[in-house]
Amino acid sequence: MDRPIDRDSLCFCCGADNERGLHLAIAYPEKGTAETSVDVPKWFTGWKSMTHGGFLATLLDEIMAHACVGLAQRAVTAEMTVRYQKAVETGVRIMARGKVEEARGRVLSTRGWLYDAEGSVVAEATARFLATTRVSIRGGGSLPTARE
């Protein structure tokens, strides 16, 4: 990335100073992408050792927001749709990957995926984020493709 990442140390997902936070370590392998992994804490149980869907949606929102970081320093979620494909037990590690698919003006269209240890998609999402400033994609406007 060309510029430093503006972090909020109290963010519930990635903030280092949030005592109740997840402290996610986010990687940016390509422009417009972000990745992380997390061992799902037991306190996010929804029903009989299954991870609450709201927690999975939070992870998807966070990883798609971080995918936006490389193109727009700040962006907020405008809308998000989640599709759950497989139950996730608490206590297991899942990997999250987000990608910006398109940028038009201030609107960033994104996709996100959660994977289990075997590499199967357990949930996926699409979302539109609103950048606080107009987004300009340099280098011809192409964005990385998803790894599915």
Side-chain angles (χ1 to χ4, degrees):
M1 251 185 294
D2 299 355
R3 61 184 181 264
I5 297 167
D6 184 18
R7 298 216 186 248
D8 180 348
S9 67
L10 292 178
C11 173
F12 169 73
C13 289
C14 67
D17 297 330
N18 187 327
E19 64 186 49
R20 294 185 179 150
L22 298 172
H23 307 131
L24 297 177
I26 310 289
Y28 304 91
E30 299 176 51
K31 182 177 182 177
T33 68
E35 294 180 350
T36 193
S37 60
V38 63
D39 294 323
V40 180
K42 300 249 185 230
W43 59 83
F44 287 109
T45 298
W47 177 254
K48 299 203 180 231
S49 299
M50 294 296 119
T51 302
H52 193 283
F55 176 73
L56 299 176
T58 298
L59 290 175
L60 286 162
D61 182 53
E62 183 75 2
I63 204 63
M64 290 185 291
H66 276 275
C68 294
V69 165
L71 300 176
Q73 195 56 237
R74 292 191 177 117
V76 295
T77 311
E79 65 180 13
M80 183 171 87
T81 301
V82 179
R83 294 185 61 193
Y84 301 95
Q85 299 181 15
K86 198 173 166 183
V88 177
E89 287 191 41
T90 56
V92 302
R93 178 167 289 256
I94 56 176
M95 199 274 267
R97 185 168 198 280
K99 171 189 169 207
V100 176
E101 292 194 314
E102 181 180 42
R104 286 189 181 192
R106 292 178 50 213
V107 178
L108 300 165
S109 297
T110 63
R111 286 188 71 191
W113 300 267
L114 298 179
Y115 301 92
D116 63 16
E118 289 77 39
S120 298
V121 175
V122 297
E124 63 182 312
T126 56
R128 289 194 303 172
F129 284 77
L130 186 61
T132 58
T133 58
R134 189 171 184 81
V135 178
S136 173
I137 301 175
R138 295 188 179 118
S142 64
L143 293 169
T145 57
R147 182 183 78 206
E148 295 185 78

